[in-house]
Each structure stands twice: as structure tokens, then as C-alpha cells.
Amino acid sequence: MQEIRNYTINFGPQHPAAHGVLRLVLEMDGETIMRADPHVGLLHRGTEKLAESKPFNQSIGYMDRLDYVSMMCNEHAYVRAIENLMGIEAPIRAQYIRTMFDEITRILNHLMWIGSNGLDLGAMAVFLYAFREREELMDCYEAVSGARMHATYYRPGGVYRDLPEQMPKYKESRWHKGRDLTRMNEWREGSMLDFLDAFCKDFYGKVDEYETLLTDNRIWKQRTVGIGVVSPEEAHAWGMTGPMLRGSGIAWDLRKKRPYAAYDKMDFDIPVGVKGDCYDRYLVRIEEMRQSNRIIEQCVKWLRANPGPVMVQNFKVAPPSREEMKDDMEALIHHFKLFTEGYCVPAGETYSAVEAPKGEFGVYMISDGANKPFRLKLRAPGFAHLSSMDAIVRGHMLSDVVAMIGTYDIVFGEVDR
Amino acid sequence: MSENTPNPLAQRLSARLGASLVALTERRGELTLEVLPENWLAVAKMMRDDADLSFEQLIDLAGVDYLGYGQTEWDTTDVSNQGFSRGVEGEGPGRFRWSDRPKAGKQERRYAVVVHLRSIAHNGLVRLRAYCTDDALPLIPSLTGVYPVANWFEREAFDLYGIVFEGHPDLRRILTDYGFVGHPFRKDFPLIGNVEVRYDAQAERVIYEPVSIDPRVLVPRVIRDDSRYDQAKAEAAAAQPAGK
């Protein structure tokens, strides 16, 4: 019989552990990976080119659809690029709201990550627990923007509207009634800030709960400890950012090193790993959820005490209010011009980056003075991370590839753009 | 500009790289270095290895096509009293199909590669730009030997802009379909694309056909260079302290 040594297998694009549409061509020697060749682009929609053919404001919605589990962080980078070029700055209350929603987004993302990574590695229950809290935060998205995911809430010059005075409640239905309904609406009696306050108080305990499921779990440790070790040098060379970089022991966080929004007024810590394996990155992300929770608490406190405008009063950038528009000719013209032609952004170029949950999400924007961007380049953390796949995964077993895809925390909306 | 800037990083950069820099500009605290393609590799190596600079990370690499830069589709400077028909012939990517795409004009130095480098040690960010000399075959040395992460970014720039990176180990398409024709992010590539794909029940396979949709632009490209924006900015600045 002929002896077969190396053979090639196709992993994905229709594989539940491929997190979307990753096609991996793996060259195997038995169960050992000799070479991994990720094929990406199956979700390529040409977001950058589409944005170049539309007025600036009309592309904010596209940003939500890039990394579709950390929506508002993407918006933040895009909106900040426009603000940089125009030389405007959002009011302080809007900066705090953005900070708060960036952190809500971080928790949303990490909950999704811990759930799906748990599923990949055989821990079914974490997913169910994580999605319980995710739902509460999604409700905050909905309360403030009307959409659970694709919010389009950040706008150049501020945020679309102020936080709601009343948190929406569950209505009585065949499934939710009586004491059950009262319990579900317990946090929702007051404003959204009251709701978030109650959530934050409760959430530390919830994170501890996830930890009881995984941190000392024998199977979890066998699947992650010592797997996919990234040395600090490798992390530099492969352009890693976010938890991938911090997991390798490098204390780099844009929120601390290049503060934007209201992060310079926040008190929080950056967790770092020691060994740079999948387990360390898991611990980093768990701790980041606690730190995000701390930041949200500080924002809630500040936002309660400091009412004010959430959008600049510059009608060339932000639309006038409905009442004004109905009543004032000038306001009507502003409204019309803003929603047909948009606004012109002074010629120049800028790179604005935010610390998205997955790493550094950057927007490089060139404007030639028109009402549309001349060139928009989106720097997705997942793209850089995934390119290191071959180097990191070589010599590992097939099952470790799954652990590695999980720990990269990739979402194809942003990798393929 | 590079003279009399207080930025210490800019001074260090011009001291180290002086001879190979075409330009060094600083706007809004962002440093942009322009280098010639022949110095591209040497500058990148210097940026990474020099202890005073130590830009350990390549954050982003983008191709840019400068065709039609500053071109407008709606005339705003000399309007007659004849009425509102002041639309001008624009050649934006949304206005033509594949078959009547504009011939690349006499634009000088059409393609550029822009790289963002980050120094973790010194908390710095620098933008490097090089224009490719030949528009017919834009060539530039590959940075994969200096920054491994450039591998995929360069494949992307090759795929979308047709910029060829000399010395790249594996310059394949990355984002577009297998067997794709053309470089879709070039400004002379139509927004509606070239072919569309569907499953043909008779042939029992997926077939490619010319696109059936019409190109159209909903909002024309306008460049306004008037004082209203400055005025609005000044008004906003005046209103800000009261609003806060």
C-alpha cells in the first residue's frame, strides 16, 4: 500500500468553528499542521469604495456592519476621522456618552467572544450565560438608537440624541406575566442610567460566574494553556493590537497611551498576560470586562450630574431640530442641504484609531475638499491578526487551529470589509 | 514644515533620514514622510531598527489611486444667471460602465503606497508615503522582510489597486473572487463592477454575465471652498462655552 504523508484539507468556509466564512487550506502531516493558508474575502463588499461614492454622513451605517459585534467602536473611529479633518469637537457630554457606549460595546464583544470560543472548545453552557447579559446591553443600544445592533448612533459632532429618560419595559405576554414580568422590569423603572447602574452593580458577580465555568476547568485549560504562544517580538512583527498584544505582556492600550473621548478622565487598569498563550488572552479579556464595567460606572455617575448638549450647534454639520426646521426658513435650507449634498470636508488626510475590543481599529481618510471621502482605508485588527495564522499555527494539532481562530476573535465583516 | 517644528520626533526623523526624505510635513500633530520608492526599504529598516526611532509595528498599509483627485461633478465657482444647470462632466466611478471606462489621463504619479508605523517604545505614529513612478506598472519594493505583517496588506493593495510589490513571497489576490479580472478600487473601475454571477438552471452551473444594472450617482461630488464653513466654525466656537 502506498504511504501517504502530507495531505491537504479544506477547513470551512461552512464550518461552525470558522467564525463566519473563513476558508483554511491546511497542509497536514497526520494531525500536525505543516502549513495553513487562510483564504479570506468571501464577505468582501467593497465598503471602502462604496464609502468613496457617498457623502460622509451616509457611510456611518456601513461602519456598524464591518465588525458586527463591536458596532459603535467602528463608528467612533470613522466619526473621529471626519471631526479631525473638519476641526470640530463633540461636546463633553457626547464624549462621555461615546466612552460609555464604547465600553458597553467592549463588554458585548467579549461576551460574544467568550460564548462562541467556549462553544468552539466544547463548553456549551458559557454561551447561554453570556447571552443573558448581552441581551440587557443590546436593550441599551435599542433604547438609545432604535436598533439592537446597527445603531448609527455616533455622528460627526456628537451623538444622534441624548440618553432616554425612560428605559423601555417588557410588555405582558403569554410567556412573561405576573411575578416573572415584575422581576424582568425591576431595573427598568427609571431612566437608562438607572438601568445601567443596576446592571453594573450586578455584572461583577456575573463575570465571576463565567470564571467558575472556565478558569479552573480542566478541559478548558488543556485546550488553551500553552497553545498558540505569541512572543512579544512576534506580536510586534505581526502588527498585533488589543488583547492579542496585551496577552503577550505588552501594556499597550490606545485608551491610555493616546486618550480620546473621555478616557483621560477615567480610572481603569490594563490587564496583561505573561506567557502569551490562549489561556492568558482569555484571562486578559475577562479582566477587561471588569475594567469596562468600572468605566461605565464612572460615566454613569458623571452623566447623571452633568446635563448638556450632545451635538455641536453647527448646522453645516448637524441638522437643526425638527421644531426649528418647521418654523425657520434658514433651518429648513440647512436641513435640506445636509441631507442631499452633505457637507464638504477640508482637503487633507488623517488617521484616527480607537481601541476597539479586538484591537486597533483605524480609519485612514483622504479628503480632497469634496462632500465625499477621496480615499477611505479601514484598518481592521482582525486582518492583521489572521495574517499571522500560518506562522503561529505551524506545528500545532488540528484541534488547536480551532482554539487559535477563537482566540484571534475574528469577525469576517471587518477582515473582508 | 520640517523647519522650526518643536516636535522632537520630527527633528529626530529629519536628522536620521534627512537625505532620503522628499518631504516631511506635520498637520494636526500627524507626521507624514514622503520618500522615493528606491529608498522605501532602507527607510523602513532604519525606522524599525534605529533605537531613537524604533517603530516596531506596521499598523496599516494602503494603496491610493490619485486619479481624479480634486475633480468635481458640480460647478460651484462660476455660476451664471441662467439657472441651475451647472452640472459638469465628472468621471466618478459611479458614472460609467466597464466598457466605457475613462482612459487613464495624463495624471502624474497616480499610485501611492501609504504606510502607518507605530512606535510602542516612544508612543509615536508616523505616516510614510511613496509614489510609484510608472503608472502603467506601479512598482515598489515589498516590506515583508522588515515587517512580516505587510504580507497581507500588500496582497490587498495588489488585489485592489494593481500595485506590484517587488520581492513579495506570495503576491496573490486576497479579497476578490478566484479568477477576478481588474483591480476594483482603481478610480477607473466602475462602481457597478463588470460581471454579475448567477446559477443557471439549464447549464446547471454558476455563470458570469455582464452586469445588468445601470450606473448612476445619487449625490454629485461637490467641492465647496467658500467662507460659510469657516463662519459656521467660528459661530460654533463662540457658542461652545455657553453650551458646555
Side-chain angles (χ1 to χ4, degrees):
Chain A
M1 209 174 79
Q2 194 190 359
E3 196 187 335
I4 303 174
R5 295 281 300 166
N6 284 9
Y7 57 96
T8 320
I9 69 162
N10 236 328
F11 182 98
Q14 302 290 344
H15 189 287
H19 282 226
V21 287
L22 171 65
R23 180 182 169 209
L24 260 178
V25 180
L26 299 171
E27 202 180 303
M28 317 273 299
D29 179 9
E31 229 188 308
T32 314
I33 311 285
M34 304 310 284
R35 206 173 74 89
D37 180 15
H39 287 211
V40 300
L42 283 95
L43 203 62
H44 179 60
R45 295 148 296 178
T47 304
E48 294 156 7
K49 181 139 180 150
L50 285 170
E52 284 161 26
S53 69
K54 285 181 174 52
F56 284 91
N57 250 9
Q58 294 181 15
S59 303
I60 304 173
Y62 281 136
M63 299 302 130
D64 292 313
R65 286 150 180 86
L66 288 166
D67 178 356
Y68 45 76
V69 281
S70 41
M71 297 69 78
M72 287 204 197
C73 288
N74 308 343
E75 285 175 25
H76 200 163
Y78 178 71
V79 159
R80 248 167 39 89
I82 300 173
E83 286 174 354
N84 277 353
L85 283 173
M86 298 191 80
I88 56 174
E89 207 178 320
I92 185 75
R93 186 173 166 87
Q95 304 278 17
Y96 271 89
I97 293 178
R98 284 181 185 179
T99 308
M100 186 173 82
F101 268 96
D102 272 14
E103 295 311 314
I104 289 178
T105 308
R106 196 175 315 277
I107 295 181
L108 276 174
N109 178 81
H110 285 357
L111 285 175
M112 176 81 197
W113 170 81
I114 199 177
S116 57
N117 198 11
L119 270 184
D120 288 347
L121 301 185
M124 184 75 206
V126 201
F127 187 78
L128 305 172
Y129 284 90
F131 268 58
R132 181 184 56 187
E133 273 72 60
R134 224 173 109 82
E135 202 55 38
E136 310 276 20
L137 292 175
M138 286 280 197
D139 285 345
C140 290
Y141 259 54
E142 189 174 353
V144 82
S145 74
R148 281 162 50 85
M149 292 182 77
H150 304 304
T152 327
Y153 180 54
Y154 296 1
R155 305 286 165 94
V159 293
Y160 175 55
R161 57 179 167 188
D162 209 342
L163 304 171
E165 283 303 311
Q166 185 68 51
M167 188 69 190
K169 292 198 186 82
Y170 283 103
K171 294 210 172 60
E172 190 172 324
S173 71
R174 280 170 64 193
W175 300 278
H176 300 306
K177 54 190 169 192
R179 282 200 7 232
D180 190 28
L181 188 70
T182 330
R183 180 188 55 80
M184 288 171 77
N185 281 335
E186 200 183 295
W187 293 353
R188 294 164 189 263
E189 296 303 329
S191 71
M192 199 184 111
L193 289 174
D194 297 333
F195 174 80
L196 272 173
D197 208 25
F199 176 87
C200 286
K201 284 208 181 74
D202 184 60
F203 189 63
Y204 292 111
K206 294 288 166 61
V207 178
D208 295 341
E209 210 171 284
Y210 312 139
E211 282 218 80
T212 61
L213 288 166
L214 292 176
T215 305
D216 292 323
N217 184 319
R218 186 153 47 95
I219 304 172
W220 179 257
K221 286 181 106 166
Q222 280 168 355
R223 292 297 302 271
T224 54
V225 175
I227 302 297
V229 178
V230 180
S231 68
E233 295 75 35
E234 276 178 310
H236 281 152
W238 289 105
M240 287 180 179
T241 45
M244 291 295 294
L245 187 65
R246 293 193 281 272
S248 300
I250 301 163
W252 174 266
D253 191 319
L254 285 174
R255 294 176 293 171
K256 281 271 192 219
K257 305 285 177 179
R258 305 208 142 201
Y260 52 96
Y263 281 113
D264 51 343
K265 301 175 193 83
M266 296 294 150
D267 177 29
F268 64 102
D269 302 317
I270 315 175
V272 290
V274 180
K275 283 192 295 197
D277 57 2
C278 290
Y279 188 68
D280 277 15
R281 288 187 285 268
Y282 154 76
L283 292 176
V284 165
R285 287 188 172 110
I286 285 282
E287 188 52 35
E288 274 187 15
M289 286 203 267
R290 294 203 181 95
Q291 297 302 329
S292 294
N293 206 31
R294 268 177 74 191
I295 299 177
I296 296 175
E297 278 175 343
Q298 293 166 48
C299 287
V300 168
K301 193 163 161 243
W302 190 93
L303 286 167
R304 273 210 174 125
N306 295 279
V310 294
M311 188 66 130
V312 291
Q313 285 295 306
N314 179 346
F315 294 155
K316 297 284 179 279
V317 184
S321 72
R322 295 299 287 183
E323 294 85 52
E324 264 179 288
M325 196 192 96
K326 303 276 179 188
D327 188 74
D328 178 23
M329 192 63 200
E330 189 82 355
L332 182 67
I333 296 170
H334 272 130
H335 185 272
F336 177 74
K337 284 304 271 183
L338 196 64
F339 285 100
T340 52
E341 187 183 290
Y343 41 79
C344 292
V345 169
E349 54 186 342
T350 188
Y351 175 80
S352 90
V354 296
E355 184 73 32
K358 294 180 169 65
E360 175 173 341
F361 185 89
V363 170
Y364 171 50
M365 187 183 275
I366 306 180
S367 169
D368 59 350
N371 56 343
K372 304 173 181 180
F374 182 77
R375 167 80 168 116
L376 183 69
K377 171 71 168 60
L378 304 163
R379 193 267 177 201
F383 189 80
H385 292 164
L386 193 59
S387 71
S388 70
M389 181 65 132
D390 183 38
I392 306 289
V393 112
R394 236 173 241 212
H396 280 68
M397 307 283 270
L398 178 58
S399 58
D400 300 334
V401 172
V402 175
M404 206 56 214
I405 295 173
T407 194
Y408 277 138
D409 194 8
I410 40 174
V411 156
F412 275 85
E414 63 160 9
V415 174
D416 293 348
R417 283 158 287 154
Chain B
M1 303 307 268
S2 59
E3 286 85 24
N4 60 45
T5 34
N7 190 332
L9 179 60
Q11 281 166 355
R12 261 181 288 153
L13 281 167
S14 54
R16 289 295 141 102
L17 304 162
S20 40
L21 289 182
V22 178
L24 188 152
T25 48
E26 186 180 2
R27 289 203 61 189
R28 298 180 212 89
E30 296 179 43
L31 279 172
T32 309
L33 312 181
E34 199 192 313
V35 293
L36 292 172
E38 48 265 37
N39 296 332
W40 188 241
L41 252 182
V43 167
K45 258 203 196 96
M46 170 80 101
M47 298 282 275
R48 186 194 60 179
D49 296 334
D50 193 297
D52 275 359
L53 305 174
S54 84
F55 285 86
E56 305 97 336
Q57 280 198 317
L58 183 145
I59 285 296
D60 187 30
L61 185 147
V64 185
D65 177 2
Y66 278 97
L67 182 72
Y69 183 87
Q71 217 178 70
T72 168
E73 294 170 347
W74 191 251
D75 207 357
T76 56
T77 44
D78 36 52
V79 187
S80 68
N81 53 4
Q82 307 293 307
F84 294 107
S85 62
R86 35 175 203 170
V88 290
E89 288 294 306
E91 286 186 336
R95 294 191 176 268
F96 51 84
R97 352 175 116 254
W98 177 262
S99 50
D100 44 43
R101 62 188 191 279
K103 297 276 172 294
K106 285 250 184 269
Q107 185 99 10
E108 214 188 330
R109 301 194 306 173
R110 199 178 139 184
Y111 299 103
V113 177
V114 181
V115 158
H116 288 90
L117 300 177
R118 164 149 289 149
S119 164
I120 286 185
H122 303 303
N123 189 6
L125 183 75
V126 154
R127 182 181 304 132
L128 270 182
R129 183 204 319 273
Y131 287 93
C132 303
T133 32
D134 186 6
D135 280 355
L137 180 67
L139 265 178
I140 197 157
S142 165
L143 293 182
T144 42
V146 188
Y147 299 103
V149 69
N151 188 325
W152 275 28
F153 283 121
E154 288 179 351
R155 277 177 69 186
E156 184 194 329
F158 163 71
D159 186 3
L160 303 177
Y161 285 96
I163 298 168
V164 178
F165 293 88
E166 268 182 307
H168 191 286
D170 181 25
L171 201 61
R172 282 177 293 157
R173 285 187 180 274
I174 184 164
L175 290 180
T176 52
D177 200 0
Y178 306 111
F180 190 87
V181 179
H183 300 288
F185 276 26
R186 287 186 172 184
K187 293 282 180 183
D188 54 2
F189 190 97
L191 188 66
I192 57 164
N194 180 21
V195 286
E196 60 188 27
V197 59
R198 69 174 174 91
Y199 179 75
D200 188 347
Q202 257 107 52
E204 292 190 326
R205 65 185 175 86
V206 172
I207 56 164
Y208 288 83
E209 293 170 325
V211 279
S212 54
I213 49 174
D214 290 317
R216 62 171 186 164
V217 171
L218 294 179
V219 182
R221 201 181 158 74
V222 180
I223 296 182
R224 283 189 198 282
D225 197 20
D226 53 29
S227 58
R228 289 178 308 158
Y229 290 96
D230 296 330
Q231 192 193 334
K233 213 187 281 175
E235 280 170 15
Q240 195 71 290
K244 270 181 187 172

